[in-house]
Amino acid sequence: MFKRISTIGLGYIGLPTAAVFAKHGIEVIGVDVKQEAVDTINRGEIHIVEPGLAGVVKNAVENGLLRATVTPEPADAFLIAVPTPFKKTGAEVPEPDLTYIESASRAIAPVLKKGDLVVLESTSPVGATERMADWLAEERPDLSFPQAKGEESDIRIAHCPERVLPGHVLEELISNDRVVGGMTSKCSELAVALYKTFVKGECVVTNARTAEMAKLTENSFRDVNIAFANELSIICDKLDIDVWELIALSNRHPRVNILQPGPGVGGHCIAVDPWFIVASAPDESKLIRAAREVNDQKPEWVVNKVKLAVADYLQANPDKTAKDVTVACYGLAFKPDIDDLRESPALNITKSIAEFHKGKLLVIEPNIDAITSTIGSEKLKLTSLQESFESADIHVLLVDHKEFKNQERPKTKYVVDTRGIWG
Ligand code: SAJ
């Protein structure tokens, strides 16, 4: 049924998806607007970091089953996995930006033929799949689409949101259940048949709008629960209670399962997707919005804790000035044991400390070799764990990487531990 498929967008989702289809014997044409990414993939290499992906892509390219290009080519099914960021308008409630979906739709439209399936995988606000169908129909008045022709349409359209966890993508692509939201039943049926090529989880059918909302709901659920933990951490700090002990105790209740506080919520999903719900129902999304605000404010709270620690240190060491104080920041990634710095609260906190602190700043990030991030003209320089333990006066733990978990708490009271691993 599917001799050749095409994935549009060769990023964190599109490339692993393309590689896994190819691994299962289907010819895949990967399309991306970035020529550099296309060239890298055609050499059998990868431009993103994901465990196990390099080998699968290399094999797929060598076997002639995966090829990348900047220009779409005909295929039996198209999977669109392009970014859906915010519009950069500075609005109080950020609005989703669908321009990447629109250009991907308009780019594949010329090569569509009767019987093809188009699946939107990008995390999208409710209604995006219908808009995609409209853009396709606008470009191809000679073909019929489900919004006009229902089950009789030439082209089948569905939304099937990706739900894989960065760092576990290859495994979760296969084992996770998939929500398949077709614009009609036949659209869903065809999309299920496509995913069944490799998905071992269940493919659960619904409509496109519910599928869109399901994905946003999953990430908002997590955001709200992390916000609860983050708010508790601030309350406990005020009341002089160890929040991690408190959560461990409360979680012994059979129906309580509180998540872990941290320096804020990072990454490109959980900190973004809840806003898509808020933007589409601003008056009704009170809790979801408050959770976003609580999580977004947490980094600033951490920076203030560091300022207080420096002030305490100087009070106890009156012969010193701020210039003599060395601060060490442990971790820059947005979560443990990865190298991804996108929307990382740890990175932003470190940058803020670099801005206010007059003394030395040491940065320890075991998952990267060099930081390209700049503050003014100065580069953040990486230091070894050993050096920071020997020379820092204030220790700021931002990410619970395994290297830090295996380390005993620095022997000083000047520790700001946002992850509760140094007890
Ligand atoms: N975090 C906490 N405390 C916790 C759990 C997480 O502070 O108890 C923080 C992390 O440190 C990180 C952020 O939340 O900064 C997000 O991390 P995450 O591991 O919760 O999630 P992501 O962003 O890596 O991936 C999520 C996943 N969604 C859910 O678990 C509901 C993944 O399945 C989605 O596919 C992905 O978003 C996505 O692409 O949308």
Side-chain angles (χ1 to χ4, degrees), residues 30 281 373:
S373 204

Coordinates of all heavy atoms in Angstrom, one line a residue, residues 30 281 373:
G30 N 13.2 12.0 2.5 CA 13.2 13.0 3.6 C 13.4 14.4 3.0 O 14.2 14.6 2.1
A281 N -8.4 29.4 24.1 CA -9.5 29.6 25.1 C -9.0 30.4 26.3 O -8.9 29.9 27.4 CB -10.1 28.3 25.5
S373 N 27.4 29.7 23.6 CA 26.6 30.8 24.1 C 27.4 32.0 24.6 O 28.4 31.8 25.3 CB 25.8 30.2 25.2 OG 24.6 30.9 25.4

